[in-house]
Amino acid sequence: MQFELNREFIDELKEFIEQQNSEVVKAKLEDLHPMDIAEIMDELNTEEAKFLYLLLEGEKASDVLIEIPENERRRFLKVLPPELIAKQFIEYMDSDDAADVVRDLEEDMKEAVLQKIADKEQAGDIADLLEYDEESAGGLMAKELIKVNENWTVQTSLKEISKQAEDIDEIYYVYVVDDDDFLKGILSLKKLILNPTHSKIKNLIEDDIHYVKTDASHEDVAMAMERFDLVAIPVVDHIGRLKGRITIDDVVDVIREEAERDYQMVSGITGDVESGDRVWNLTRARLPWLLIGLLGGILGARVLGANEEALSKIQGIAFFIPLIAAMAGNVGVQSSSIVVQTIASGARDFDSFGKKLLKELAVGLITALVFSTLIFTYNFAFSNSMELTWAVSISLFIVIVFASLFGTTIPLILNKLKIDPALATGPFITTMNDILGLMMYMLIAKLFFNII
Amino acid sequence: MQFELNREFIDELKEFIEQQNSEVVKAKLEDLHPMDIAEIMDELNTEEAKFLYLLLEGEKASDVLIEIPENERRRFLKVLPPELIAKQFIEYMDSDDAADVVRDLEEDMKEAVLQKIADKEQAGDIADLLEYDEESAGGLMAKELIKVNENWTVQTSLKEISKQAEDIDEIYYVYVVDDDDFLKGILSLKKLILNPTHSKIKNLIEDDIHYVKTDASHEDVAMAMERFDLVAIPVVDHIGRLKGRITIDDVVDVIREEAERDYQMVSGITGDVESGDRVWNLTRARLPWLLIGLLGGILGARVLGANEEALSKIQGIAFFIPLIAAMAGNVGVQSSSIVVQTIASGARDFDSFGKKLLKELAVGLITALVFSTLIFTYNFAFSNSMELTWAVSISLFIVIVFASLFGTTIPLILNKLKIDPALATGPFITTMNDILGLMMYMLIAKLFFNII
């Protein structure tokens, strides 16, 4: 929190880079956090970024690399020789980060890099991790962990921990295994410090612990860690052998990404974009859902076109088209969002499908009653056609109830089919409800004015 | 992950509760996580929940209490005597949780409970924490932490840590202070274990650390911890004295809540609701934004009413009302969401206000060009009025560009005014753009058909 990156600092740095003044640039970068350096690089052009990056040394270079956004990192690594990647980056990384970097390389490059890693154990760990699906707990875990045998004493354990700890930044838990590497429990560092050196680990073990299997989804891992306030969670294979551990910082990223994805869906944005991105990326992220909106608009035009007679004969009927469409869209988005958020939060829901629909029906009926009464009152006061007043109110009532049920049902069905329910929020549900709402409005109006 | 809560388990439990069979209910709850018990209580009626809760003992009772949603907890505590609250719950809690519970009590109840706490140091800690704004780092932190003096040796420190650790569940970092309690750095447990007992703490200290001040916002705390992958962060006062620490599990909650709030805003929902909530809560959360939508719809009706002549004279003009309104709404939501998400993600953005608008103008112009060309092509093929074809395309072009700029500007202005920019997403921006879009469409159509 001490250093605040700003425009002036970057501009100054750019000048020194232009002058190829390695000394000053190096000095300026010295105290910066890798995250800050990655952000600065994002503001530079490729040449400037390269100049700056080559001034970084060993561990810092690898820390910065892991903070660079994935697609830029890929481009960057393409031009470097495998030996440099292995020696300059991979050897300084934890196995989970290293596996992420290697996974992105092309096939033959992958092998070349793995062969150039001097520490054969590390190379083996990375190769192991590459076997797991990227979207599973196995793909998220690191192999670095501290484990002790349940038959050891505190003294032996402390010695072994010292050895194992050399490669690990922070120790949160010590895992306890039996002779066959089956996970038996955890040992908190606190217990290790507070107990006499001859105590047996077996007697200090905490065996009521939470773990995940290697094929658990990222969401399941996040849910377990969040629910039980864990800092790290062990990962076991199908028969219970300890394979790795996942730390909370990786999971915070998962939680954030998941929330952002749902947010983007409901806002009608495709992919992860930020204000700072290039114009073309920003535009591309917005076109797909707008196209759906346009098609919906054209369908809406066709619905109204088919009701041309009613539109021309019934004075004032067109005035309420935006109102019906907007209410249908808003209600639908609300309903679908509540379903999606409930699913995403992992809150266990004991209601059956039928009970959920009944409940939504109740919500829809109350909401519909409130707003159709309001619009009835408004039109009763300001409109001079009683038929129109009734037609608009009854249409709004039916449209709201329908939009509630539709907005609830679609994401629930998608979720049952194992499709991301968030797909059914935002522009999709708005567009569908717009069109269906218009059709109902026209139908009801025609019934009231005897045009059918 | 071993136990999966399900409907059958709850129904079975309910039966035993009905039979007042404390033995069996107690046995069934024995192995459950506090979180699970809190969820079960949510499925029971008040009488059943009370029966179950009174069977819990000491620490477990307090762990369950903290997992119960805030408003239910408040209702629950109201009926209990202060002595029971102090002895049964508070004494088993960490100071941050205890302060949260006490903060919710009524004024005289607060004092009564604090006086009943046997451990005067704990009572003092809680009273200290109550002084901080709930929305600040001070309101989020706990007083429980492990600290050592920089002048101690490893041996002295280990002894002191054993003493301090009695009240603390997990040790993540040991904080190092000087004689006046100023934060000097941290000491990882790893270093403590791996170094000889006579080493001076001064020499093992890691002084390049991240901390927050007591008045930092929750968002700043979350951002710092997420950015730097921290498990715990120390909190200092304005002159740098160590006051407490915040752990990652509290921050995960902050991140989740923040993301959910933004999601709810863009979906038009007020407050934190889930599918499982009562019908009335679900309905109430949806009414406010729908009311804005209704008012927008009425304004839209007025705009169209003022253009009655154009609507009746220009054949087909009404058909494209939903298209114009929907595109304006969707584009506006996209623009505002990108701004809000960028602000929420804490990504530092070095573009000036003017540059942001210029960029959005570019995005808007490209998007507008794409979609007005598409609708032009469609109408050219299917409509028999060239004037209408032009009027719709040009209107759509102008409406899209305008909605982009409007959607970007409003949240940026709100943010500058220190108002939550998320207010300007969802139904608000959709409704505003609907109305303004309709006005532009009508104006342009009238110009094309010489009706003005």
Side-chain angles (χ1 to χ4, degrees):
Chain A
M1 307 298 291
Q2 294 86 331
F3 168 76
E4 195 54 62
L5 201 59
N6 56 34
R7 185 85 262 171
E8 288 73 50
F9 183 89
I10 295 176
D11 288 341
E12 215 184 32
L13 200 69
K14 268 186 170 177
E15 255 173 61
F16 287 115
I17 292 176
E18 209 180 323
Q19 301 162 14
Q20 306 267 317
N21 193 335
S22 340
E23 291 296 302
V24 179
V25 174
K26 227 170 159 171
K28 281 195 161 290
L29 295 179
E30 188 122 8
D31 292 330
L32 292 192
H33 190 275
M35 186 85 170
D36 289 326
I37 299 180
E39 275 190 39
I40 292 173
M41 285 174 67
D42 197 38
E43 295 291 311
L44 305 176
N45 66 37
T46 319
E47 273 312 297
E48 293 168 337
K50 208 174 188 175
F51 176 83
L52 180 151
Y53 191 77
L54 292 176
L55 293 176
L56 301 173
E57 273 157 23
E59 191 159 357
K60 195 148 198 177
S62 79
D63 286 348
V64 171
L65 187 71
I66 206 74
E67 300 289 357
I68 297 177
E70 216 167 291
N71 42 356
E72 281 184 52
R73 197 203 301 156
R74 215 169 290 165
R75 215 174 45 208
F76 198 65
L77 287 174
K78 244 186 192 157
V79 297
L80 298 178
E83 183 143 13
L84 189 85
I85 297 179
K87 297 264 180 294
Q88 177 92 335
F89 309 131
I90 303 291
E91 296 205 357
Y92 294 98
M93 286 182 180
D94 281 345
S95 55
D96 55 340
D97 290 339
D100 284 347
V101 169
V102 174
R103 192 176 277 127
D104 280 347
L105 301 171
E106 277 159 40
E107 258 342 290
D108 45 340
M109 188 72 160
K110 258 183 213 170
E111 267 180 43
V113 169
L114 284 175
Q115 275 163 7
K116 294 286 180 198
I117 297 173
D119 180 346
K120 287 305 157 201
E121 201 188 326
Q122 197 200 11
D125 282 350
I126 298 171
D128 284 350
L129 289 180
L130 289 178
E131 297 296 324
Y132 296 103
D133 178 3
E134 198 180 348
E135 295 300 318
S136 71
L140 199 61
M141 72 184 183
K143 302 286 280 185
E144 288 84 2
L145 51 78
I146 308 275
K147 62 179 175 187
V148 297
N149 191 301
E150 57 177 347
N151 300 311
W152 294 348
T153 61
V154 165
Q155 193 166 26
T156 322
S157 299
L158 279 172
K159 230 183 273 168
E160 283 295 322
I161 291 172
S162 315
K163 264 192 244 164
Q164 296 175 24
E166 273 170 31
D167 301 328
I168 299 187
D169 290 337
E170 292 292 340
I171 309 173
Y172 302 123
Y173 299 108
V174 175
Y175 298 105
V176 184
V177 293
D178 66 12
D179 295 334
D180 295 318
D181 224 25
F182 280 80
L183 179 66
K184 305 305 278 185
I186 59 169
L187 183 68
S188 70
L189 279 182
K190 181 179 148 187
K191 278 210 173 143
L192 210 55
I193 294 177
L194 303 188
N195 276 285
T197 52
H198 58 268
S199 319
K200 278 265 186 207
I201 298 301
K202 236 184 196 136
N203 305 322
L204 307 177
I205 202 172
E206 201 176 302
D207 59 0
D208 181 23
I209 61 165
H210 298 279
Y211 56 82
V212 289
K213 297 219 170 108
T214 46
D215 60 357
S217 71
H218 286 189
E219 284 75 15
D220 286 342
V221 176
M223 229 172 267
M225 293 188 77
E226 204 183 341
R227 182 174 289 257
F228 304 115
D229 291 343
L230 305 174
V231 171
I233 195 165
V235 184
V236 300
D237 67 9
H238 279 270
I239 54 170
R241 284 176 304 182
L242 181 61
K243 287 294 171 185
R245 63 139 200 202
I246 297 171
T247 49
I248 185 80
D249 50 310
D250 295 319
V251 168
V252 169
D253 294 342
V254 170
I255 292 174
R256 175 77 86 185
E257 275 164 26
E258 212 185 306
E260 282 182 357
R261 213 175 38 223
D262 287 348
Y263 184 78
Q264 282 156 4
M265 288 280 192
V266 76
S267 325
I269 300 163
T270 320
D272 186 17
V273 288
E274 276 174 2
S275 305
D277 291 351
R278 277 162 228 288
V279 169
W280 173 235
N281 290 337
L282 283 168
T283 310
R284 204 178 36 187
R286 298 167 62 160
L287 296 185
W289 280 118
L290 289 181
L291 195 62
I292 290 182
L294 186 82
L295 293 177
I298 289 176
L299 269 173
R302 297 222 147 209
V303 169
L304 296 178
N307 290 283
E308 202 173 349
E309 197 196 340
L311 282 169
S312 62
K313 278 196 184 156
I314 309 172
Q315 201 223 4
I317 184 176
F319 301 170
F320 294 94
I321 290 174
L323 184 137
I324 297 282
M327 291 302 276
N330 287 347
V331 168
V333 168
Q334 288 181 332
S335 300
S336 59
S337 301
I338 290 179
V339 173
V340 168
Q341 200 174 20
T342 304
I343 293 172
S345 77
R348 273 171 288 193
D349 194 341
F350 305 103
D351 294 349
S352 65
F353 195 89
K355 193 173 170 197
K356 278 194 196 106
L357 275 193
L358 266 182
K359 219 162 157 181
E360 187 64 26
L361 183 65
V363 173
L365 285 171
I366 300 174
T367 313
L369 192 67
V370 169
F371 290 103
S372 54
T373 307
L374 285 174
I375 199 67
F376 186 90
T377 314
Y378 172 82
N379 274 336
F380 188 79
F382 295 105
S383 153
N384 40 23
S385 157
M386 213 43 214
E387 283 92 349
L388 187 69
T389 301
W390 277 108
V392 169
S393 296
I394 289 175
S395 299
L396 189 62
F397 188 93
I398 292 176
V399 162
I400 288 179
V401 173
F402 176 81
S404 301
L405 294 179
F406 193 69
T408 302
T409 314
I410 301 292
L412 282 176
I413 291 175
L414 288 185
N415 193 44
K416 281 238 163 121
L417 298 174
K418 309 261 176 221
I419 301 170
D420 186 355
L423 269 173
T425 52
F428 174 77
I429 214 90
T430 318
T431 305
M432 291 295 291
N433 276 327
D434 269 15
I435 300 166
L436 294 167
L438 282 178
M439 290 172 79
M440 292 181 217
Y441 178 43
M442 287 296 127
L443 185 68
I444 291 163
K446 285 192 290 189
L447 286 172
F448 262 88
F449 287 89
N450 292 314
I451 292 184
I452 290 178
Chain B
M1 309 298 289
Q2 293 87 330
F3 168 77
E4 195 55 63
L5 202 59
N6 56 35
R7 186 81 265 174
E8 287 74 49
F9 183 89
I10 295 175
D11 288 341
E12 216 183 29
L13 201 69
K14 270 186 170 176
E15 256 173 59
F16 287 115
I17 293 176
E18 211 179 319
Q19 302 163 13
Q20 305 267 318
N21 192 334
S22 339
E23 289 297 301
V24 178
V25 174
K26 226 170 164 175
K28 280 198 162 290
L29 295 178
E30 187 123 4
D31 291 330
L32 291 192
H33 191 275
M35 186 83 169
D36 289 327
I37 299 179
E39 274 190 39
I40 292 173
M41 285 173 67
D42 199 35
E43 294 293 311
L44 304 176
N45 67 38
T46 319
E47 274 313 297
E48 293 168 337
K50 211 176 190 173
F51 176 82
L52 182 150
Y53 191 76
L54 292 176
L55 294 176
L56 301 173
E57 274 157 23
E59 191 158 359
K60 194 146 197 178
S62 79
D63 286 347
V64 171
L65 187 71
I66 206 75
E67 300 289 356
I68 298 177
E70 215 167 293
N71 41 357
E72 283 184 48
R73 197 202 302 155
R74 214 169 292 163
R75 216 175 43 206
F76 198 66
L77 288 173
K78 246 185 189 156
V79 297
L80 299 177
E83 182 142 16
L84 188 84
I85 297 178
K87 297 265 182 291
Q88 177 92 334
F89 310 131
I90 303 293
E91 296 204 357
Y92 293 99
M93 287 182 180
D94 280 346
S95 56
D96 54 341
D97 291 339
D100 285 346
V101 170
V102 175
R103 192 176 278 125
D104 280 347
L105 300 171
E106 275 157 41
E107 257 343 289
D108 45 341
M109 188 73 160
K110 256 184 214 170
E111 267 181 44
V113 169
L114 284 175
Q115 275 164 5
K116 296 285 180 197
I117 296 173
D119 179 347
K120 288 304 157 204
E121 201 188 325
Q122 198 202 9
D125 282 350
I126 298 171
D128 284 349
L129 288 180
L130 289 178
E131 297 295 324
Y132 296 104
D133 179 3
E134 197 181 347
E135 295 301 316
S136 71
L140 199 60
M141 73 184 181
K143 301 288 278 185
E144 288 84 2
L145 50 77
I146 306 275
K147 61 180 177 188
V148 297
N149 192 300
E150 58 176 349
N151 300 314
W152 294 348
T153 60
V154 164
Q155 193 165 26
T156 323
S157 300
L158 278 173
K159 232 182 275 168
E160 284 294 323
I161 290 172
S162 314
K163 263 192 246 164
Q164 297 176 23
E166 273 168 31
D167 300 329
I168 298 187
D169 291 336
E170 292 292 339
I171 309 172
Y172 302 123
Y173 300 108
V174 175
Y175 298 105
V176 184
V177 293
D178 66 11
D179 296 333
D180 296 316
D181 224 25
F182 279 81
L183 179 66
K184 304 306 277 185
I186 58 168
L187 182 68
S188 69
L189 280 184
K190 180 178 147 185
K191 276 207 175 146
L192 209 56
I193 294 177
L194 303 188
N195 276 284
T197 52
H198 58 268
S199 318
K200 278 263 185 208
I201 298 300
K202 237 186 194 134
N203 305 322
L204 307 178
I205 202 171
E206 202 175 303
D207 60 0
D208 181 22
I209 60 164
H210 298 279
Y211 56 84
V212 290
K213 297 219 170 108
T214 46
D215 61 355
S217 70
H218 286 188
E219 284 75 16
D220 286 342
V221 175
M223 227 172 270
M225 293 188 77
E226 203 182 342
R227 183 174 288 260
F228 302 116
D229 291 342
L230 305 174
V231 171
I233 197 165
V235 184
V236 300
D237 67 9
H238 279 270
I239 55 172
R241 284 176 305 181
L242 180 61
K243 287 294 171 185
R245 65 137 198 206
I246 297 172
T247 48
I248 184 83
D249 50 310
D250 295 319
V251 168
V252 169
D253 295 343
V254 170
I255 293 174
R256 173 77 84 184
E257 276 164 25
E258 212 185 304
E260 282 182 356
R261 213 175 38 224
D262 287 348
Y263 184 79
Q264 283 155 4
M265 288 278 192
V266 77
S267 324
I269 300 164
T270 320
D272 185 15
V273 286
E274 277 175 3
S275 305
D277 291 351
R278 278 163 228 287
V279 169
W280 172 237
N281 290 337
L282 283 169
T283 310
R284 202 178 41 188
R286 298 166 63 159
L287 296 184
W289 280 118
L290 288 181
L291 194 63
I292 291 183
L294 186 82
L295 293 176
I298 290 176
L299 270 174
R302 298 222 144 209
V303 169
L304 295 179
N307 288 283
E308 199 173 351
E309 195 196 342
L311 282 169
S312 63
K313 277 197 187 155
I314 308 171
Q315 201 224 5
I317 185 176
F319 301 170
F320 294 93
I321 290 175
L323 186 136
I324 298 281
M327 292 301 277
N330 288 344
V331 167
V333 168
Q334 287 181 333
S335 300
S336 58
S337 301
I338 291 178
V339 173
V340 168
Q341 199 174 22
T342 304
I343 294 170
S345 77
R348 273 170 288 195
D349 193 343
F350 304 104
D351 294 347
S352 64
F353 195 89
K355 194 173 170 199
K356 276 194 200 105
L357 274 193
L358 266 181
K359 219 161 153 182
E360 187 63 25
L361 183 64
V363 173
L365 285 172
I366 299 174
T367 312
L369 193 67
V370 170
F371 290 102
S372 55
T373 308
L374 285 174
I375 199 65
F376 186 89
T377 314
Y378 171 83
N379 274 336
F380 189 78
F382 296 102
S383 153
N384 41 24
S385 157
M386 213 44 215
E387 283 93 349
L388 186 70
T389 301
W390 276 110
V392 170
S393 296
I394 289 175
S395 298
L396 187 63
F397 188 95
I398 292 176
V399 162
I400 288 179
V401 172
F402 176 81
S404 301
L405 294 178
F406 192 71
T408 302
T409 314
I410 301 291
L412 283 176
I413 290 174
L414 288 186
N415 194 44
K416 279 238 162 115
L417 298 174
K418 309 260 176 222
I419 301 172
D420 185 355
L423 269 175
T425 53
F428 174 77
I429 215 90
T430 317
T431 305
M432 292 294 291
N433 276 326
D434 269 15
I435 301 166
L436 294 166
L438 282 177
M439 291 172 79
M440 292 182 215
Y441 177 44
M442 288 294 127
L443 185 69
I444 291 163
K446 286 191 289 189
L447 286 173
F448 261 88
F449 286 89
N450 293 314
I451 292 184
I452 293 180

